[in-house]
Amino acid sequence: MTELVLREREFLADGVLGLTLERPLGEPLPAWEPGAHIDLVLAPGLERQYSLCGDPADRTAWRIAVLREEDGRGGSAFVHERLGAGDKVEVRGPRNHFALRPAHRYRFIAGGIGITPILPMLAAAEAAGAEWTLLYGGRTRASMAFTEELRRYGDRVTLAPQDETGLLDLPSVLDDLPDGTLVYCCGPGPLLDAVEAATPAGVLHVERFQAKEQQADQDTEFEVVLAQSGRTLTVPPGVSVLDSVRAAGVEVLYSCTEGTCGTCETDVVEGTPDHRDSVLTEAERAAGDTMLICVSRCRGKRLVLDL
């Protein structure tokens, strides 16, 4: 965990607050790549994940943007109302489960605050000489952050405020994708679901701010063996692996407890996980080498974890 200082705060759009964080003495921050996020530890039991949206080459500061959610769980309200310039905040990370993979061409799709991880991806794609476009939607033009920064990219960026253009025209972006194209999308759940339904397998990469609804099997009891100590725990129905491990006195890192941040990702030594997260790719799920123990369970009677 790192203690940072809030150097600057500014409103980027209606309800969207931009924060610039730095070390107290100006020391260089850890390196990161487009798609990375950090955890803000705002108060005991109040941690939230935010995508880094600045320049990865700038090691002096990290930039994030926080949408105030009126019906949220208190994290965004805390940031908007209680964090001021000069305040110190504990930060974990960065971590990256949404990394930009090399490709000849990209189709970027962002909805609302989902523009934050996409923004540094555009600069990286541009620097790599890739062909790319961005379709960026929001409720209104005034609610869409970074529109001025995006002007420099010209007609490769399509702004589509819903009150002006209706729902995003996904077929215009996703129909007849050329070979070698990767699709990156971040935004609200319904947008991600629609993009997933319209995109061929193997080309889509998404990041969810809220957990995807899972059609999971009914919970059953199973055993978890902790490989580092040899202890065996029983995980009953309705109790997560994370809660069972913590109740046994084993300290593990965790944050969202919803399967969206990746903090609790744990190596699987033996057994088959029942993946219920919104982070791992289909290939990672099929490999079964890791699992997010805050939500995922076991497709059998026994798991051996590297804990």
Side-chain angles (χ1 to χ4, degrees):
M1 199 129 61
T2 304
E3 184 179 73
L4 300 184
V5 174
L6 177 55
R7 185 177 77 192
E8 182 182 5
R9 49 177 279 158
E10 60 174 331
F11 279 95
L12 306 174
D14 289 349
V16 179
L17 180 65
L19 305 181
T20 302
L21 301 161
E22 64 183 4
R23 290 189 188 271
L25 299 179
E27 308 97 320
L29 289 161
W32 61 279
E33 295 182 350
H37 72 263
I38 57 175
D39 302 339
L40 295 192
V41 183
L42 301 169
L46 188 62
E47 302 180 18
R48 294 294 183 267
Q49 296 76 47
Y50 300 105
S51 297
L52 291 169
C53 56
D55 179 3
D58 182 3
R59 301 282 297 277
T60 66
W62 283 342
R63 183 171 68 156
I64 61 173
V66 180
L67 170 67
R68 173 148 192 168
E69 300 180 80
E70 298 300 335
D71 298 323
R73 296 174 295 150
S76 65
F78 187 102
V79 171
H80 277 247
E81 296 174 5
R82 299 178 61 179
L83 280 188
D87 286 350
K88 296 180 180 179
V89 59
E90 296 290 337
V91 178
R92 277 202 296 259
R95 288 189 306 279
N96 199 340
H97 289 278
F98 193 42
L100 185 67
R101 299 183 180 181
H104 295 299
R105 56 186 62 85
Y106 299 96
R107 297 294 178 263
F108 297 106
I109 303 172
I113 198 62
I115 189 62
T116 51
I118 300 294
L119 195 64
M121 291 184 179
L122 304 182
E126 183 82 353
E131 183 270 314
W132 62 268
T133 63
L134 167 67
L135 178 60
Y136 174 24
R139 292 179 292 103
T140 65
R141 193 174 295 270
S143 72
M144 298 168 64
F146 305 115
T147 54
E148 288 301 315
E149 291 188 33
L150 292 170
R151 288 185 184 276
R152 60 184 172 134
Y153 295 122
D155 59 6
R156 281 174 293 176
V157 174
T158 300
L159 301 181
Q162 186 173 349
D163 64 339
E164 299 177 22
T165 64
L167 296 177
L168 291 180
D169 183 8
L170 296 181
S172 68
V173 176
L174 300 176
D175 284 358
D176 301 319
L177 287 174
D179 290 342
T181 302
L182 292 182
V183 178
Y184 278 79
C185 180
C186 187
L191 171 62
L192 300 186
D193 292 341
V195 172
E196 285 183 342
T199 307
V203 303
L204 176 62
H205 300 269
V206 302
E207 182 168 59
R208 291 180 178 270
F209 296 136
Q210 296 180 328
K212 183 178 181 180
E213 291 188 12
Q214 301 285 339
Q215 297 297 320
D217 296 334
Q218 184 175 1
D219 288 356
T220 57
E221 182 178 285
F222 59 95
E223 289 185 344
V224 168
V225 179
L226 308 182
Q228 295 179 24
S229 65
R231 298 177 63 185
T232 298
L233 310 177
T234 298
V235 181
V239 177
S240 71
V241 176
L242 173 64
D243 287 342
S244 297
V245 169
R246 295 185 66 235
V250 179
E251 291 297 322
V252 293
L253 287 177
Y254 69 96
S255 183
C256 73
T257 69
E258 296 182 336
T260 60
C261 75
T263 304
C264 69
E265 185 174 358
T266 301
D267 288 343
V268 177
V269 178
E270 184 181 324
T272 304
D274 175 11
H275 296 290
R276 304 184 182 187
D277 65 274
S278 302
V279 172
L280 298 180
T281 66
E282 290 304 317
E284 290 169 333
R285 292 183 176 210
D289 297 329
T290 66
M291 64 182 288
L292 271 64
I293 60 174
C294 67
V295 292
S296 297
R297 299 183 68 80
C298 178
R299 291 192 179 277
K301 296 296 185 181
R302 184 172 179 268
L303 279 173
V304 182
L305 301 179
D306 187 19
L307 290 173

